[in-house]
Amino acid sequence: MNPIEISTDQFLRLAERVTQLAAEYLEHIDTQAISPATSGEQTISLFRTAMPEDGMGEEALNALPEVMRSSRVQNGRFFGYVLGSGEPVGAVADLLASVINQNVTAWRSGPAAVVIEQTVVGWLGQGIGCPEFRGHLTGGGSSANLMGLAMARETKAPANEKGIVAGGVVYASDEIHMSIPKSVALLGIGRGNLRLIETDDSFRMIPEALEARILQDKAAGKIPLAVVASAGTVNCGAIDPLRQIAQIAQRHGAWFHIDGAYGALAAVADRAKFDGMELADSISLDPHKWLYQPLDCGCLLYRSPEAAQKTFAHSGEYARSLNADRVEGFVFFEESLELSRRFRALKLWLSLRYHGVAAFRQSIAKDLAQARRLAEAIQKEPQLELLAPVELSAVCFQHRGVGRRPEEELNRFNLAVLNRVVKRGRVYLSNASLRGKFCLRACVVNHRTKDADIDSVIPEVLAAAREIG
């Protein structure tokens, strides 16, 4: 017997121990402090050990409770970042996906996995009002945005064979996610050719400013490669005027990509917020945000599989498909940057089958309503100020401080408030910056959040402010 193999009985014991730990975690999740009582030095002393030469057997699992004690708890009062809440049915599916270990690169290497992924991608397109789109799952919105812009570059200024064509320009709002500047750098377009278009009082891209900048660049001999609109900015959830931007992009021959990693899946519950999304050439989504899936589970949708194949098709002889059948000859790597790909679709497929899309629609609507509830409460509290409209579920606000403080001092005070809130452990907020103002930011993309959790935010912020004086 190979020394790495274990018996079925051993596997059952391991799985039972891990399942028991997970069940206890879920049972007590609401009573736990969100931030672990640990430090960088403590985690290094616990986990940065020498590689074991000899195995410990089942004793190796004895360290798992400490791993959990040193991890952030994602209960209903976790409002940090834009991060889904790890729906348990999906987590169960992830265990099975790891055991059967399918490489979802082509039908021949994972027949069920490929068809299930194609199925859930179709469900996602249908759910947001883009039923004719095709695509694949990714590690997250950043990789989906990178591949969407790669398709834009190869469609508008082909570079795969002869190299980058100088003069290509990408347009996005000044609230765009950091993955877009990263993508234009990695694609050789250069961040100097990324035009950040100003936003209005609601932090939405101004279409007239976009068109003026495109006209200016075209007059200078530049090539508009792509326009990137946000379907939910990472700071405050602003949704750009998608239809107007789509028309401008089409008028000037630019690819229209929508970064919908945060917000686009809210269209499952409120389609009207996203008018014009169906006009995109490509869209990034993150089911590990607003479909609550365990990490990682992103998605890239696109209108043209031919454009994806033109961008990504390049295979060695060892990987070439030997089957002309429409189903059995399908290969994901001809439409994607990735070759080896894990079975990400199983958790989403099982979760949607188990709960039904109506349950997700209801949960997303609940998140949207809870964000509005928090915003309304902030507006009624004299010590706090709402700093942006609440379009989706991100609520940006600030403590006014005592007296008339300069903005820089008020920013430092709110940073101290945030640190104290997190240290108290009852509520977890993150931060954002809007027009130079440091914001306390609560983002609700959590199926566990209750109204009582929302109502605990303001008391925690006010208590933290009193503690630091």
Side-chain angles (χ1 to χ4, degrees):
M1 183 175 180
N2 188 289
I4 301 299
E5 286 192 55
I6 63 173
S7 69
T8 303
D9 286 343
Q10 286 174 305
F11 176 78
L12 282 171
R13 287 198 302 273
L14 297 178
E16 285 171 1
R17 285 186 65 180
V18 170
T19 301
Q20 185 61 39
L21 282 173
E24 291 171 0
Y25 170 84
L26 291 172
E27 183 179 4
H28 301 292
I29 190 170
D30 277 341
T31 62
Q32 297 183 60
I34 296 174
S35 297
T38 189
S39 67
E41 185 176 337
Q42 287 174 305
T43 52
I44 286 175
S45 66
L46 284 168
F47 306 120
R48 190 171 292 173
T49 60
M51 183 188 297
E53 178 64 29
D54 297 312
M56 301 167 63
E58 292 183 25
E59 289 184 12
L61 275 68
N62 293 345
L64 292 181
E66 193 60 62
V67 172
M68 299 180 75
R69 283 191 290 270
S70 301
S71 297
R72 180 187 35 73
V73 175
Q74 204 166 345
N75 61 28
R77 298 179 303 282
F78 177 81
F79 304 112
Y81 325 119
V82 189
L83 181 61
S85 38
E87 193 277 312
V89 174
V92 169
D94 249 355
L95 171 61
L96 184 60
S98 293
V99 170
I100 63 176
N101 197 36
Q102 301 294 282
N103 188 1
V104 194
T105 184
W107 185 91
R108 66 182 179 184
S109 61
V114 165
V115 174
I116 287 173
E117 181 164 336
Q118 291 170 330
T119 299
V120 297
V121 166
W123 289 350
L124 294 175
Q126 179 182 346
I128 67 169
C130 301
E132 74 280 11
F133 280 52
R134 185 154 137 177
H136 53 266
L137 299 182
T138 70
S142 293
S143 56
N145 285 334
L146 173 65
M147 286 189 278
L149 286 179
M151 291 170 66
R153 189 199 67 184
E154 200 57 25
T155 300
K156 302 301 178 181
N160 281 357
E161 300 303 326
K162 297 183 179 179
I164 302 296
V165 177
V169 180
V170 175
Y171 303 84
S173 89
D174 55 20
E175 287 291 312
I176 200 66
H177 187 261
M178 66 180 184
S179 62
I180 300 303
K182 281 190 174 185
S183 294
V184 297
L186 290 169
L187 292 168
I189 298 167
R191 283 193 280 264
N193 292 310
L194 174 62
R195 306 288 189 255
L196 298 180
I197 307 302
E198 55 264 41
T199 50
D200 61 18
D201 291 342
S202 296
F203 303 96
R204 304 160 76 237
M205 187 194 297
I206 300 172
E208 295 79 9
L210 169 65
E211 183 141 43
R213 192 60 198 267
I214 292 176
L215 288 170
Q216 180 183 343
D217 282 332
K218 288 176 74 174
K222 302 287 187 180
I223 304 168
L225 295 180
V227 178
V228 182
S230 294
T233 59
V234 69
N235 277 332
C236 65
I239 301 171
D240 288 332
L242 304 178
R243 185 169 296 277
Q244 288 176 269
I245 293 172
Q247 292 166 348
I248 292 170
Q250 184 178 33
R251 194 153 55 238
H252 295 285
W255 184 274
F256 182 38
H257 176 73
I258 294 177
D259 177 6
Y262 166 18
L265 281 165
V268 171
D270 192 344
R271 184 78 54 82
K273 284 183 179 292
F274 301 90
D275 176 54
M277 188 152 61
E278 71 280 2
L279 302 175
D281 293 297
S282 55
I283 307 170
S284 64
L285 307 172
D286 267 351
H288 64 216
K289 291 185 172 73
W290 232 333
L291 289 181
Y292 314 111
Q293 294 303 297
L295 292 163
D296 58 18
C297 190
C299 180
L300 175 66
L301 297 177
Y302 38 83
R303 182 181 301 280
S304 169
E306 293 76 22
Q309 292 157 8
K310 179 182 179 183
T311 304
F312 300 114
H314 182 78
S315 304
E317 184 63 25
Y318 51 84
R320 184 170 62 87
S321 177
L322 304 177
N323 194 323
D325 181 84
R326 183 180 62 85
V327 175
E328 296 179 17
F330 178 80
V331 290
F332 268 120
F333 59 79
E334 295 284 1
E335 297 183 18
S336 170
L337 182 65
E338 295 179 304
L339 181 56
S340 299
R341 305 170 71 252
R342 72 175 266 107
F343 194 178
R344 297 183 180 108
L346 186 62
K347 56 190 167 192
L348 183 54
W349 181 76
L350 189 64
S351 188
L352 284 166
R353 282 167 55 89
Y354 186 95
H355 296 292
V357 70
F360 286 95
R361 185 178 298 115
Q362 181 179 345
S363 187
I364 293 168
K366 182 253 331 169
D367 292 343
L368 295 170
Q370 288 175 333
R372 293 192 296 271
R373 180 186 182 97
L374 177 58
E376 290 165 6
I378 288 168
Q379 290 176 310
K380 294 174 183 176
E381 172 51 59
Q383 297 180 70
L384 304 179
E385 179 184 4
L386 191 68
L387 295 181
V390 177
E391 182 68 43
L392 290 173
S393 68
V395 183
C396 293
F397 64 105
Q398 194 177 66
H399 196 291
R400 296 181 189 273
V402 179
R404 299 176 64 86
R405 298 188 181 200
E407 186 173 285
E408 187 175 338
E409 184 180 336
L410 194 59
N411 285 345
R412 287 196 298 271
F413 175 71
N414 276 273
L415 172 59
V417 170
L418 175 63
N419 287 334
R420 183 58 60 93
V421 167
V422 171
K423 187 174 183 180
R424 285 167 63 89
R426 298 178 182 91
V427 165
Y428 195 100
L429 303 177
S430 59
N431 61 282
S433 179
L434 293 172
R435 306 280 199 266
K437 293 184 177 182
F438 182 93
C439 307
L440 306 175
R441 177 176 172 278
C443 188
V444 190
V445 284
N446 192 328
H447 73 280
R448 298 186 177 99
T449 299
K450 302 176 180 64
D451 286 352
D453 298 318
I454 293 293
D455 295 342
S456 70
V457 172
I458 291 177
E460 280 296 308
V461 170
L462 297 181
R466 286 194 299 271
E467 287 180 6
I468 64 175

